[in-house]
Amino acid sequence: MTQPLVAIRSVSKSFGAFQALKDVSLDVHAGEVLCLIGASGSGKTTLLRCINQLTPLDSGGIWLDGELLGVREQHGRLHALSPREIARQRLKTGMVFQRFNLFPHMTALENITEGPVQVQRRSRDEARADAMELLARVGLSAKADAYPAELSGGQQQRVAIARALAMKPMLMLFDEPTSALDPELVGEVLAVMKELAGSGMTMMVVTHELGFAREVADTVVYMDQGAIVESGSAAELLAAPRELRTRSFLSAVI
């Protein structure tokens, strides 16, 4: 087995008296699509935020592409990385949130080019060309000059996906990307994510869309109360879960 792209080892995180993650260990290999399922508050979003270093760990470690995130081991002790070093590590991941978080005063094209130009110092012409390719990929070539207020929720989320891809990440993190959408708009976002999965992008997806997980996921992980209860292939876990807690959850949502 090759080295995992993401290696999560014994990660725990508490917010006051509430333990959001309890000794979580997980591997994600390059090109794999992993779906995290479970009730709200089960730790799925916190896990993604830890990977993207938006939430610091209490204990354990996360490695991305062989590099320990957030800290450096030196002379047997761990030292926190500087904000600049954390920002460099964060460039390896793209994150798509429930809310689209687009800049309201920028067009779709400008939203996508801002990061490559300002953060990666790429030329504006190169960033614009890449952005137009990404808009075509998500089916929005005709909306390049539209502002977020002129776009539907589904269109805004597709722009947000294109914006994340513009940074050329090796890992895409999706935090319930369809939960804020009207039902008729969910399919257009899932279609883009299916295409992305088919292209070989490594993806970790927090989702309640079990049909998407069944169709696209290589691995499904069920979390409850901050812990991983069960993991397996989509066919195994969604059709014949081993654990009672997993069966109870699936029976309530299917």
Side-chain angles (χ1 to χ4, degrees):
M1 182 69 74
T2 58
Q3 174 180 296
L5 181 67
V6 184
I8 300 168
R9 297 291 180 267
S10 302
V11 165
S12 294
K13 176 64 184 178
S14 293
F15 299 97
F18 174 68
Q19 190 166 8
L21 294 173
K22 302 174 184 175
D23 196 30
V24 171
S25 294
L26 187 64
D27 286 345
V28 185
H29 288 85
E32 182 179 4
V33 177
L34 183 143
C35 284
L36 294 158
I37 64 171
S40 296
S42 58
K44 310 180 301 298
T45 292
T46 300
L47 183 59
L48 289 197
R49 291 179 62 86
C50 287
I51 295 169
N52 207 35
Q53 301 190 66
L54 296 173
T55 297
L57 312 182
D58 290 342
S59 60
I62 300 175
W63 286 258
L64 176 58
D65 195 30
E67 183 179 14
L68 181 60
L69 298 181
V71 294
R72 177 189 297 108
E73 189 171 359
Q74 192 171 8
H75 305 306
R77 299 183 64 181
L78 295 177
H79 302 269
L81 296 183
S82 69
R84 181 185 292 271
E85 290 171 309
I86 289 174
R88 175 190 60 78
Q89 289 185 334
R90 194 178 285 136
L91 288 176
K92 295 182 179 181
T93 62
M95 190 156 181
V96 178
F97 300 87
Q98 296 178 36
R99 296 291 173 178
F100 325 120
N101 296 335
L102 299 178
F103 295 116
H105 62 289
M106 293 184 178
T107 65
L109 183 65
E110 290 167 344
N111 265 281
I112 297 168
T113 58
E114 183 71 5
V117 170
Q118 298 298 328
V119 178
Q120 296 179 329
R121 303 301 182 190
R122 289 157 59 189
S123 75
R124 195 164 293 277
D125 286 346
E126 177 192 353
R128 181 184 174 88
D130 283 352
M132 289 305 299
E133 287 184 12
L134 288 167
L135 281 169
R137 186 174 182 180
V138 300
L140 291 173
S141 295
K143 298 293 186 179
D145 296 324
Y147 289 90
E150 300 171 319
L151 301 173
S152 71
Q155 290 170 334
Q156 290 185 61
Q157 192 63 295
R158 284 186 279 158
V159 172
I161 293 172
R163 179 180 59 181
L165 291 173
M167 304 299 282
K168 303 186 185 300
M170 60 176 56
L171 171 69
M172 284 288 286
L173 306 171
F174 292 88
D175 183 17
E176 296 189 32
T178 60
S179 66
L181 300 178
D182 292 333
E184 66 270 19
L185 302 177
V186 169
E188 63 189 53
V189 173
L190 293 181
V192 170
M193 294 173 64
K194 289 174 186 176
E195 186 277 328
L196 193 58
S199 74
M201 173 62 75
T202 310
M203 298 164 58
M204 295 182 69
V205 184
V206 172
T207 185
H208 293 294
E209 301 288 344
L210 297 187
F212 170 83
R214 188 176 291 108
E215 183 177 349
V216 176
D218 298 293
T219 303
V220 177
V221 174
Y222 171 62
M223 294 185 67
D224 185 37
Q225 297 181 359
I228 292 176
V229 175
E230 184 172 355
S231 66
S233 71
E236 293 170 345
L237 191 141
L238 296 177
R242 300 183 303 274
E243 301 294 330
L244 177 60
R245 278 191 287 172
T246 314
R247 292 197 296 271
S248 297
F249 170 77
L250 292 174
S251 67
V253 299
I254 291 179

